[in-house]
Amino acid sequence: MIQVVVNGLVNGAILALMAISLTIIFSILRVPHFGLGGISVWGAFVAYFGVTRFGLNLALAVLLAAVSMAALGVLIEKLAFRPLRGATEDAMFVSAIGVLIAMENAALLLWGSDARSIPAEGLSFVLAVPGLVYLPAMRAVIFAVASLAFLGLYFFVKRTRTGKAMRAVAQDSAAARLLGVPIDRVASYTFALGSAMAGVAGALVGAAFTFNFEMGSPSVLKAFVVVVLGGMGSVAGAIVGGFALGTVDSLTLTYVTSEYKHLVAFGLLILVLVFRPSGIFGQRKLRADV
Amino acid sequence: MARVVKWALPFVLALGFPFVGQEGYFTHLAITILIFSILASSLNLLMGYTGLVSIAHGAFYGIGAYTSGILVLRHGVPFWAAIVIATAFAGIVALGIGPPSFRTRGIYYIIVTIAFQLIASEIFDNWYSMTGGGLGLKGIPRPEPISLPFLPALGFQSKFVYYYLVLAVAAAVHYGIWRIIRSPLGIALMAIRDNETKALMMGLSPLRYKIGVFVFASALAGLAGSLYAHYLEYAHPDLFSFFVSVDVFLMVMLGGAGTLYGPPLGVLILEMLREVLHEFVALRLLLYGLLLIVIIVFLPEGLPRPLARWTRRLVTPRLLPGSAP
């Protein structure tokens, strides 16, 4: 039981990373960027080839994944979302689905459908409390990296000038623009930040478990479940929601059903969207229309 | 005269087609296109005329296919009853999820439909005792022959005859959709699409219309599913997956949402593309992804309308400023 909860928390850390990248892009720019699922897949592949082809150590490979995905994220924003600024969220969502499908299948074309795992030298030992909990060191690393990313994000958004600009755009993009905040640059930074985090999340999955080209869509949908649970735009909510869903998922997988593994998460998604659209932690005010 | 030709030509082509295609590959392709045109046009009723973007059409398509296949295969229900039950059942499921899902709007509504599609796919995939899971449902029979007065009984074993069955259904469906769009009901739907609050102020009940059109469109998807399963004599989760939903969505977008002729045109184009890229699924889906972005960014009206404008501009001499009609 404790083992199951611990496994759930590890999954939860990854989910929380994905959820945060989704929620910052959505709350700052109103772009529901499901393409982040594709970014996480590509991040995992970059880290994988960094380790296997170029002999990088895991930390460098993850960093490489973060940087390259940040660059790719900026490019995607320019091509697929910037021309749609001012269009409806529906339109942006369709474009994001396009990005997701294109990236997953490009990965399939380039690198095939085998399940791979990023080899992690020196991290194959297991931390254990005998008879109670076994935790492979790699999964402990996930915890550490995720926490580091949360802290880094917090300081970036709260303490830097760019972070302040992001918060201004999130509050009221028209007013921010009138006051001279360069929206285009803020958009680029936001996409870089979100994509880097999604890339790291993918690389961590690849190092601790296995990954292949199609892990992106379920993970981004689950991340969306987390975002909704935690309340749109709430980073703290995304972290708590991530751990909650990770644990619930792990428990249902062990004790309820292993075949219908998405059923619980997506059923929950529908229920929350329908009956509590502002999330469990959010204030009840998000439904502005009719 | 030109108008008569414009309307009559597709009918003549459609009626004569099997005499060219015979039992071969092209008749198969034509049957697939007709079935997908039912899917695309019914989704268009939702997307194009009522403003409800749904990525769950593949799920209802699958519900129709499995319901009818299971009824005929396991319970010996005649096809002609099963297709009606399957259509109704898809509608009933839609009636169940419609009212709660319409509490959400915009992307939240789209995401609810995606979640529903994925749950349905997971059920198709895992409920072995019912659907056969990943092995698929094999041996779904073709419809029983019907006896006609003064003529030999009409069997549906050949593609030649099945084509006419599908053509008749598709024609009826399109006629029905056309009548709806041209009726006060269609105007009400478009009013809801254009401004829901305003429609409410005019005394319409948007929720009731939305549920009605959602049930109707989903039932049509179920009808298409039943036709497809009994044609292929097979059903498999991959035939009704998330990607099929995206497929149909793309067909509607490409042809132009909110036009009657658009979605069938989109079906024609994308089915051709599917056949050409038959061996390269990943490449086709990569193209679909890029196509989604390109259409939404550059061609939000679909392909035909801008194309018609460009050609018209090329053909007609440019008017002097001020002399425009």
Side-chain angles (χ1 to χ4, degrees), chain B residues 14-19 159-169:
Chain B
L15 281 173
F17 190 82
F19 292 96
K159 285 179 191 158
F160 189 93
V161 180
Y162 206 89
Y163 173 89
Y164 285 108
L165 171 64
V166 176
L167 181 67
V169 176

Side-chain angles (χ1 to χ4, degrees), chain A residues 26 30 32 34 79-80 83-84 89-95 97-99 101-106 108-109 221 224 228 232 259-263 266-267 269-270 273-275 277 284 287 289-290, chain B residues 51 53 55 100-112 114-116 118-119 122-123 126-128 196-197 200 242-243 246 249 253 281-283 285-286 288-290 292-293 296-298:
Chain A
F26 187 74
R30 313 300 302 166
F34 273 47
L79 295 177
L84 290 175
E89 278 175 9
D90 287 20
M92 303 228 204
F93 186 75
V94 171
S95 195
I97 294 286
V99 172
I101 294 176
M103 286 189 79
E104 281 196 341
N105 286 286
L108 171 60
L109 270 181
L221 255 171
F224 188 81
V228 172
M232 274 289 172
E259 282 165 353
Y260 296 97
K261 53 183 183 297
H262 298 319
L263 197 68
F266 298 155
L269 174 62
I270 295 182
L273 279 179
V274 168
F275 295 109
R284 300 211 71 170
R287 294 181 57 187
D289 27 29
V290 190
Chain B
V53 177
I55 311 282
S101 72
F102 289 129
R103 291 172 57 113
T104 62
R105 264 155 235 285
I107 63 161
Y108 302 98
Y109 178 72
I110 308 178
I111 288 164
V112 167
I114 292 181
F116 176 74
L118 293 175
I119 289 173
E122 203 162 71
I123 292 172
N126 285 304
W127 197 4
Y128 283 96
E196 194 170 328
T197 315
L200 191 67
F242 169 73
F243 289 108
V246 173
F249 175 80
M253 288 299 294
V281 180
L283 182 63
L285 289 176
L286 169 61
Y288 277 17
L290 296 177
L292 272 178
I293 304 170
I296 208 81
V297 171
F298 298 107

Side-chain angles (χ1 to χ4, degrees), chain B residues 81-152:
Chain B
I83 190 171
V84 175
I85 298 173
T87 307
F89 186 63
I92 289 168
V93 174
L95 190 60
I97 69 161
S101 72
F102 289 129
R103 291 172 57 113
T104 62
R105 264 155 235 285
I107 63 161
Y108 302 98
Y109 178 72
I110 308 178
I111 288 164
V112 167
T113 66
I114 292 181
F116 176 74
Q117 165 73 55
L118 293 175
I119 289 173
S121 288
E122 203 162 71
I123 292 172
F124 297 154
D125 227 337
N126 285 304
W127 197 4
Y128 283 96
S129 56
M130 239 2 192
T131 65
L135 298 172
L137 196 62
K138 294 198 188 85
I140 301 172
R142 286 274 171 89
E144 306 82 24
I146 44 177
S147 51
L148 301 168
F150 311 119
L151 285 170

Side-chain angles (χ1 to χ4, degrees), chain A residues 27-28 154 156-172 176 186:
Chain A
S27 61
I28 296 174
Y154 181 82
F156 185 78
V157 172
K158 290 280 170 177
R159 294 280 155 57
T160 65
R161 214 176 134 76
T162 313
K164 200 187 240 178
M166 285 177 178
R167 281 181 289 140
V169 174
Q171 271 181 13
D172 188 335
V186 169

Side-chain angles (χ1 to χ4, degrees), chain A:
Chain A
M1 176 75 184
I2 296 179
Q3 180 68 49
V4 177
V5 172
V6 169
N7 289 346
L9 290 179
V10 172
N11 287 333
I14 296 173
L15 267 177
L17 265 180
M18 284 296 288
I20 289 177
S21 48
L22 202 58
T23 206
I24 54 176
I25 293 181
F26 187 74
S27 61
I28 296 174
L29 301 169
R30 313 300 302 166
V31 176
H33 188 16
F34 273 47
L36 287 170
I39 293 274
S40 78
V41 171
W42 279 54
F45 273 107
V46 168
Y48 176 79
F49 289 119
V51 172
T52 55
R53 291 264 171 87
F54 305 108
L56 299 177
N57 68 24
L58 188 63
L60 275 178
V62 170
L63 200 63
L64 179 68
V67 172
S68 56
M69 288 309 111
L72 192 57
V74 171
L75 187 69
I76 287 173
E77 193 270 332
K78 286 215 163 86
L79 295 177
F81 297 110
R82 190 163 297 180
L84 290 175
R85 198 170 292 159
T88 59
E89 278 175 9
D90 287 20
M92 303 228 204
F93 186 75
V94 171
S95 195
I97 294 286
V99 172
L100 176 64
I101 294 176
M103 286 189 79
E104 281 196 341
N105 286 286
L108 171 60
L109 270 181
L110 290 170
W111 303 303
S113 62
D114 305 334
R116 299 163 200 248
S117 185
I118 301 170
E121 294 283 318
L123 281 172
S124 49
F125 60 92
V126 175
L127 307 170
V129 179
L132 199 60
V133 181
Y134 295 88
L135 186 64
M138 190 56 231
R139 300 191 185 176
V141 170
I142 289 187
F143 247 42
V145 175
S147 320
L148 218 71
F150 301 153
L151 276 178
L153 177 75
Y154 181 82
F155 280 106
F156 185 78
V157 172
K158 290 280 170 177
R159 294 280 155 57
T160 65
R161 214 176 134 76
T162 313
K164 200 187 240 178
M166 285 177 178
R167 281 181 289 140
V169 174
Q171 271 181 13
D172 188 335
S173 71
R177 193 154 60 189
L178 284 174
L179 292 171
V181 175
I183 299 278
D184 285 350
R185 209 182 313 153
V186 169
S188 293
Y189 277 121
T190 308
F191 266 77
L193 201 63
S195 306
M197 290 183 76
V200 169
L204 290 179
V205 173
F209 309 95
T210 57
F211 73 97
N212 76 347
F213 75 99
E214 57 183 357
M215 75 166 176
S217 6
S219 87
V220 79
L221 255 171
K222 281 200 177 156
F224 188 81
V225 179
V226 169
V227 168
V228 172
L229 274 177
M232 274 289 172
S234 155
V235 171
I239 294 174
V240 178
F243 287 123
L245 184 65
T247 315
V248 169
D249 235 19
S250 172
L251 286 171
T252 46
L253 220 72
T254 318
Y255 296 110
V256 186
T257 163
S258 58
E259 282 165 353
Y260 296 97
K261 53 183 183 297
H262 298 319
L263 197 68
V264 175
F266 298 155
L268 204 64
L269 174 62
I270 295 182
L271 289 180
V272 173
L273 279 179
V274 168
F275 295 109
R276 181 99 187 133
S278 53
I280 292 173
F281 308 107
Q283 303 109 345
R284 300 211 71 170
K285 60 152 197 181
L286 270 170
R287 294 181 57 187
D289 27 29
V290 190

